[in-house]
Amino acid sequence: MNGYIWELYLKAGGNEIIKFFERNLLKSFSKNYAGKICELYNFYCPSKTISDLLFSALDDLNDSIHIENHGFLYGCYSIIDLLDSNYTRSDIMLAFYQGLNDSGSMSDNEIFSEFSCEIAYYTTFLSIIFPAFFVPYYFKHQFPSFEQKKVNHP
């Protein structure tokens, strides 16, 4: 996301959203958080399977971040290095990209596919570590689920 759009988002009330996620992610991210997000998600998405996949991704992240010296954060050394310095959104995204492509063997398309398929996991992770720059994204399947519902009900 470019800086101009991010600033517009913040000025249009995005700061309140950031504060919400700071309160609920930084201080109390847990299996309970995952369950509450899925309860809210169920209002928008009629698919229990998709909701279960969302819960699984958030639960996996919860397990990963509570294991000391383990999980994605610790596998993504360049992100850890940023935590002790001044950094920009571009620095974060470069470090994140390098973390996803740790072995150096993934193509850009494979990295994009990995991020897209696990967007709830990765955006929640980024929101926990860098709340001033990211909010979680939980609506990956929103349009296809409504499209399917529309097709089934002429």
Side-chain angles (χ1 to χ4, degrees):
M1 176 181 298
N2 75 39
Y4 175 74
I5 291 174
W6 183 250
E7 290 303 316
L8 286 178
Y9 170 75
L10 294 175
K11 288 177 184 173
N15 282 325
E16 292 303 313
I17 299 297
I18 289 170
K19 288 176 188 172
F20 167 82
F21 285 112
E22 283 177 339
R23 281 190 310 272
N24 292 292
L25 286 175
L26 296 179
K27 296 178 182 150
S28 64
F29 184 72
S30 65
K31 188 176 273 201
N32 187 44
Y33 172 86
K36 291 293 182 191
I37 290 297
C38 289
E39 283 177 30
L40 293 171
Y41 190 79
N42 287 332
F43 286 110
Y44 299 99
C45 181
S47 172
K48 179 162 176 22
T49 301
I50 292 172
S51 182
D52 289 347
L53 289 172
L54 174 60
F55 179 83
S56 178
L58 295 176
D59 190 38
D60 287 348
L61 178 60
N62 176 56
D63 290 343
S64 178
I65 65 173
H66 288 102
I67 300 172
E68 193 170 325
N69 297 321
H70 185 64
F72 184 76
L73 175 61
Y74 294 97
C76 191
Y77 302 111
S78 50
I79 284 187
I80 292 174
D81 292 342
L82 289 178
L83 296 175
D84 294 327
S85 66
N86 292 328
Y87 48 82
T88 65
R89 191 177 308 109
S90 295
D91 296 331
I92 297 167
M93 292 313 298
L94 179 60
F96 181 73
Y97 176 88
Q98 291 169 342
L100 284 176
N101 194 18
D102 186 38
S103 66
S105 64
M106 293 175 71
S107 70
D108 289 343
N109 285 341
E110 290 169 323
I111 291 170
F112 179 78
S113 179
E114 168 67 17
F115 180 78
S116 297
C117 289
E118 299 298 332
I119 197 165
Y121 181 98
Y122 291 127
T123 59
T124 303
F125 163 79
L126 289 168
S127 299
I128 290 169
I129 306 303
F130 303 106
F133 289 103
F134 299 95
V135 294
Y137 186 79
Y138 299 131
F139 300 99
K140 173 177 82 170
H141 294 285
Q142 198 57 37
F143 180 77
S145 65
F146 282 125
E147 193 65 26
Q148 182 66 31
K149 187 175 182 181
K150 183 176 139 186
V151 170
N152 287 338
H153 303 289

